[in-house]
Amino acid sequence: MSRIRTLIVDDEPLARRGLQLHLQRHADIEVVGEAGSGGQATQAIAALRPQLMFLDVQMPGMDGFGVLRALPATQIPLTVFVTAFDQYAIAAFAASALDYLLKPVDDRRLDEAVERARTRLAARKAEDHYERLLRLMATMPAADRPQLDALMLDEASRTGGTLNLRDGQRLVRVALNAIRWVDAAGDYICIHTHDQTHVLRGTMQELEGRLDPRRFARVHRSSIVNLERVTQLRPHPNGEYFLVLDSGHELKLSRSYRDKVRVVDGRLLAAV
């Protein structure tokens, strides 16, 4: 029987313990770790690489959405939200076709969530899951998240020092050298900078065509990286590479995008 590596994230120790006890009824669920805060969760995900995560939405400091925004797409596990949110949030989860559990957790609903996770993992629908996560994060209200409408791309974005984003009638300028990497799924993009993640509408193709290809490279179907941020390359036996960024995050360099970059004296450079 294949085991599903599972992480539990909740700031309440009793809630974590209770969920772990509930999950013991499922022989294929292997709880590989717990986290009591958003910061601990991002570290645990990077270290343990869980396939499935039960994520508390409401936590002090970095909340559940903050955890998801802080991670590269390829590191985000299949996520089941655990929440005491109001009906507005529940409707948003349902509209995005993402699973959630209401506190206190009911065994029947937990069994349904585990069965859906098994099905999705067997079908390898991780990218579809991430697209739904992005859609949810772009619509959920959050005081600490920039509510951006769309990319405003002009020729200056390609050679200049800023990327222009539209927020209603306001123009938001993001310094290009502050961008670490970009994730995308469907019509949504996450632009990760030093201290923020901008979630907005747009496509990877639009953004890639406007960024300077000498500085930014497409390394995966859903990822663009700032080459200056790559500090290490780790080869994988299957022919892919993992790119380690100066923030400690890792991105996957897939084989189909290997010709976009070249390695010179241990540094990753654009192939152009």
Side-chain angles (χ1 to χ4, degrees):
M1 178 186 298
S2 178
R3 306 272 283 175
I4 300 174
R5 295 172 58 81
T6 303
L7 178 70
I8 298 173
V9 181
D10 197 304
D11 63 306
E12 299 177 0
L14 287 178
R16 296 197 303 271
R17 178 59 177 161
L19 188 53
Q20 186 172 26
L21 290 173
H22 283 289
L23 289 171
Q24 286 180 356
R25 297 181 302 108
H26 297 274
D28 59 339
I29 297 295
E30 179 185 6
V31 177
V32 295
E34 298 181 8
S37 68
Q40 290 178 10
T42 59
Q43 293 174 6
I45 291 167
L48 302 172
R49 299 299 173 96
Q51 300 164 279
L52 175 63
M53 173 170 61
F54 289 88
L55 177 64
D56 184 19
V57 176
Q58 295 170 301
M59 294 184 292
M62 181 188 291
D63 64 10
F65 294 120
V67 171
L68 297 174
R69 291 194 298 271
L71 295 169
T74 53
Q75 286 187 19
I76 295 180
L78 194 68
T79 302
V80 176
F81 294 99
V82 184
T83 179
F85 260 167
D86 58 21
Q87 290 306 307
Y88 171 82
I90 297 304
F93 290 137
S96 299
L98 291 167
D99 223 337
Y100 63 90
L101 299 173
L102 285 175
K103 293 182 177 180
V105 173
D106 175 74
D107 277 341
R108 181 185 61 81
R109 281 288 297 119
L110 177 62
D111 292 346
E112 292 174 357
V114 169
E115 184 55 39
R116 289 193 187 100
R118 291 188 186 110
T119 302
R120 283 177 171 164
L121 287 170
R124 299 185 181 276
K125 292 187 175 181
E127 291 187 1
D128 172 65
H129 180 72
Y130 183 64
E131 181 175 349
R132 292 173 180 179
L133 283 173
L134 275 185
R135 187 184 308 126
L136 177 65
M137 288 189 286
T139 57
M140 288 294 292
D144 63 340
R145 179 177 61 77
Q147 302 275 346
L148 301 175
D149 297 325
L151 291 164
M152 267 187 67
L153 298 172
D154 51 36
E155 203 57 36
S157 299
R158 187 178 179 88
T159 57
T162 62
L163 180 67
N164 299 326
L165 309 173
R166 190 182 70 232
D167 182 9
Q169 299 301 312
R170 186 169 63 96
L171 185 66
V172 176
R173 299 183 186 276
V174 176
L176 291 178
N177 60 8
I179 298 174
R180 287 195 165 107
W181 81 93
V182 180
D183 287 328
D187 293 329
Y188 292 92
I189 293 175
C190 275
I191 298 175
H192 302 267
T193 68
H194 292 304
D195 54 2
Q196 285 185 307
T197 296
H198 302 281
V199 182
L200 63 153
R201 283 186 177 273
T203 67
M204 187 68 86
Q205 186 174 1
E206 288 177 312
L207 184 57
E208 183 184 16
R210 291 293 182 171
L211 292 173
D212 185 347
R214 295 166 299 180
R215 300 173 63 185
F216 293 88
R218 185 87 169 261
V219 294
H220 188 274
R221 190 169 79 173
S222 62
S223 302
I224 292 174
V225 69
N226 183 344
L227 294 169
E228 296 176 355
R229 296 288 187 173
V230 179
T231 60
Q232 182 184 348
L233 284 79
R234 290 197 301 103
H236 192 277
N238 67 3
E240 297 179 336
Y241 282 85
F242 286 103
L243 310 179
V244 182
L245 307 189
D246 55 4
S247 59
H249 293 95
E250 291 187 0
L251 299 178
K252 183 184 293 183
L253 170 58
S254 65
R255 284 172 290 183
S256 55
Y257 288 91
R258 183 66 179 82
D259 61 348
K260 296 276 189 179
V261 295
R262 56 196 172 98
V263 180
V264 178
D265 297 330
R267 294 180 57 210
L268 191 67
L269 302 176
V272 295

